[in-house]
Amino acid sequence: MRPIVLLLLVSVSAVAPADGLDDVADHDRARRALERGEVRPIGEILRAVSARVAGEVVGVEFEREHGGWRYELKLIAPDGRLLEVEVDAATARILEVEED
């Protein structure tokens, strides 16, 4: 029984880093865009969003869309709903809020 558990743990750990690669790529892209002056710092983005949308941030994605950089934030609202907030990374303007 123990070899099976060990095999499962090795299999899961071998897959887990691949899931994190998107986060690393997002981080690197965001850092480079910030260095070039194309986007605002994530702290500023989070403050702008929290001033308009109540909830706890549980996920962040950074992507190029419609010719500009966007942050896609996942929030859990106080009432338990999962919200997706799309933010223009250059201006910190909220573009869309929807239930996910």
Side-chain angles (χ1 to χ4, degrees), residues 12-83:
V12 170
S13 65
V15 173
D19 292 341
L21 290 178
D22 286 340
D23 293 339
V24 171
D26 279 359
H27 169 77
D28 288 339
R29 282 193 305 268
R31 183 180 46 77
R32 286 192 302 272
L34 179 63
E35 289 170 352
R36 290 189 303 264
E38 297 173 354
V39 301
R40 297 184 185 265
I42 186 64
E44 190 176 320
I45 299 291
L46 294 173
R47 282 190 297 278
V49 170
S50 69
R52 302 220 17 236
V53 181
E56 180 180 346
V57 176
V58 295
V60 178
E61 291 182 24
F62 184 73
E63 57 196 10
R64 192 104 153 117
E65 193 172 295
H66 304 293
W69 291 108
R70 306 285 168 91
Y71 277 105
E72 185 180 284
L73 307 176
K74 302 274 185 179
L75 283 79
I76 297 179
D79 62 4
R81 293 178 300 135
L82 182 61
L83 302 176

Side-chain angles (χ1 to χ4, degrees), residues 6-19:
L6 181 59
L7 180 60
L8 286 173
L9 289 174
V10 170
S11 298
V12 170
S13 65
V15 173
D19 292 341

